[in-house]
Amino acid sequence: MSDSGGVPEDECLAVWCAGDDWCAVTCAMDIIGKKWHPVIVHRLLQHGALRFNELSEEVGGITNKMLSQSLKDLEEKELVDREVVSEKPVAVEYSLTERGQSLEPVIDSLEEWGKTYLRPTEDQDQSVC
């Protein structure tokens, strides 16, 4: 187990972090570096708890299958909490755990870097990102 009590070291080995038995950057990117994960975390930081369809609308461009898989993965990584808020009809809300909320400065830094160094091309819809 790592010193921070986070991801066990044996669960986070990657060949692309050559020479290290355990690499914090590799582990962090393994958790939040998947295509939709940072966007989902960002929207939950912005809006708080959201139901599946609300989150789908906020993320945009993601299929229901991919959103479901991403949420399941984020839940397994203890970044997102899933709560059934009503049973008839079934309604589920997703929110960030304390661990997920701790990503706020990382997501804010990514957003600021993107605003500073990246510009959409004329044919891109700015609302997509």
Side-chain angles (χ1 to χ4, degrees), residues 52-67:
F52 186 90
N53 288 335
E54 294 170 330
L55 188 53
S56 180
E57 288 176 21
E58 289 298 327
V59 171
I62 189 171
T63 65
N64 285 345
K65 181 179 179 181
M66 182 54 67
L67 179 57

Side-chain angles (χ1 to χ4, degrees), residues 56-97:
S56 180
E57 288 176 21
E58 289 298 327
V59 171
I62 189 171
T63 65
N64 285 345
K65 181 179 179 181
M66 182 54 67
L67 179 57
S68 181
Q69 289 174 346
S70 296
L71 287 167
K72 184 177 180 180
D73 189 43
L74 289 166
E75 188 178 2
E76 288 172 1
K77 304 290 193 224
E78 300 177 359
L79 298 176
V80 168
D81 186 39
R82 179 184 186 274
E83 181 181 355
V84 177
V85 292
S86 69
E87 295 191 22
K88 291 189 180 184
V90 174
V92 177
E93 274 189 348
Y94 296 91
S95 61
L96 293 173
T97 63

Side-chain angles (χ1 to χ4, degrees), residues 102-116:
S102 74
L103 287 168
E104 186 168 17
V106 175
I107 299 298
D108 288 348
S109 292
L110 285 170
E111 181 177 30
E112 193 57 39
W113 185 87
K115 287 178 179 177
T116 302

